[in-house]
Amino acid sequence: MTEPTNDATARTVLVTGGNRGIGLACTQAYLDAGHRVATVSRSGGEVAGAFAVACDVSDGAAVDAAVAAVEDELGPVEILVANAGITKDGLMVRMSDDDFASVIDTNLTGTFRFARAVTKKMMRARFGRIVFMSSVGAYMGAAGQANYAASKAGLIGLARSMARELAPRNITVNVVTPGPIETDMLAALDDDRREAMTSVVPLGRLGAADEVAAAVRFLTSETAGFITGAVLPVDGGIAMGN
C-alpha cells in the first residue's frame, strides 16, 4: 500500500456502493492514497485491498451491523462517502407508491442511517469528513425520475442541516452532484441516447468516474477543513448558476 498523498494522516474510509461505478472510483482513489478503506454494498462485492461488507441500506439494523463490522476491522470511520443509490424510473402519473418509497428509502434514508451510525464516534474524536453523492437532477429535475430527483434533492437539505449541527465538532458535511458520467449504466445506452446526453454538456463530453472521485477526495482532505455545507457540481457545466 502506498503512502498517503495530499493528506497528512491515513484515515479509515467507508464508501457505500463502493464496488462499482463512481463508488469504485472513490474506493480506488482512497486506496491509492494509502487509506484504510471499507466498501458496503448489497452484494458485498470485493475490491482488492478494501474490506467488503454486505448490507441492505434500507435496513437500519443491517446498517448499524455493517458499521460495527468496519469499526472492528479498521477502526472508527473518519471519512464517509455515501454513494449507494438506486433508480426505479417511470412517469410520475404511473409511478407506484412502492417505487417512490423504495428509492427515497435507499437513496435518502439509507444515507441518513449511515451518517447517523458513524457520527457519534466522529464527534468524540472531533474530526470527520462526510460526502453525500447527489446528482444534477436534484436541482434540475428529470422527466421519469421524480422519485430519484426527490431523493437526491433531499440529500442537500440533509447535508446542510448536518453541517450546521456538526461544525462545532470539526466534522464537515458536503455534497457532490455529478452530471452524466461514463459508467456501465451509460455504456449500455444506445448511441442516440449517449449523444443526446452529451449534447447538453457545455464541455461537450461525458465525465469520468475518476473526475468525481477527485472532487470527493478533495472535500475529505485535510486541506478542505473550512468547507462545509457546500454543493460541488461535477457536471461539465450543465447546472451552472443553480
Side-chain angles (χ1 to χ4, degrees):
M1 187 174 288
T2 59
E3 289 298 314
T5 59
N6 300 323
D7 296 333
T9 305
R11 301 286 186 183
T12 298
V13 183
L14 172 58
V15 184
T16 70
N19 64 334
R20 53 186 289 184
I22 291 172
L24 176 58
C26 292
T27 296
Q28 195 60 58
Y30 284 110
L31 287 171
D32 290 347
H35 296 287
R36 303 176 295 274
V37 186
T39 63
V40 173
S41 64
R42 185 182 292 270
S43 67
E46 296 184 356
V47 178
F51 176 65
V53 181
C55 177
D56 177 358
V57 303
S58 66
D59 182 337
V63 168
D64 290 342
V67 170
V70 171
E71 291 175 342
D72 287 345
E73 182 72 18
L74 302 179
V77 174
E78 297 162 287
I79 297 173
L80 170 66
V81 180
N83 168 76
I86 63 170
T87 59
K88 289 190 177 181
D89 296 350
L91 294 177
M92 183 273 293
V93 295
R94 298 175 185 167
M95 187 175 290
S96 68
D97 286 359
D98 285 345
D99 282 351
F100 189 87
S102 62
V103 171
I104 296 293
D105 193 37
T106 297
N107 298 1
L108 178 57
T109 312
T111 294
F112 163 75
R113 291 183 182 110
F114 269 99
R116 180 179 59 189
V118 304
T119 297
K120 289 180 181 178
K121 289 188 178 178
M122 288 182 177
M123 292 175 69
R124 292 192 198 109
R126 302 190 72 84
F127 178 88
R129 298 281 190 268
I130 299 173
V131 173
F132 294 161
M133 197 68 67
S134 182
S135 164
V136 293
Y139 35 78
M140 295 184 66
Q145 290 193 317
N147 48 4
Y148 182 79
S151 70
K152 294 299 187 178
L155 289 175
I156 296 175
L158 174 61
R160 286 179 165 166
S161 297
M162 289 179 55
R164 291 185 182 278
E165 289 185 19
L166 299 174
R169 298 300 183 97
N170 192 35
I171 300 168
T172 65
V173 189
N174 293 292
V175 181
V176 171
T177 56
I181 304 298
E182 286 276 16
T183 60
D184 290 343
M185 182 174 67
L186 286 193
L189 299 177
D190 60 44
D191 290 343
D192 288 344
R193 282 288 304 280
R194 288 172 58 85
E195 185 175 340
M197 296 179 74
T198 304
S199 69
V200 302
V201 181
L203 284 177
R205 66 176 177 85
L206 301 178
D210 288 347
E211 293 174 304
V212 182
V216 172
R217 281 267 292 117
F218 166 68
L219 289 173
T220 61
S221 67
E222 304 288 335
T223 53
F226 201 56
I227 302 173
T228 195
V231 178
L232 176 57
V234 186
D235 62 6
I238 291 176
M240 63 177 72
N242 287 299

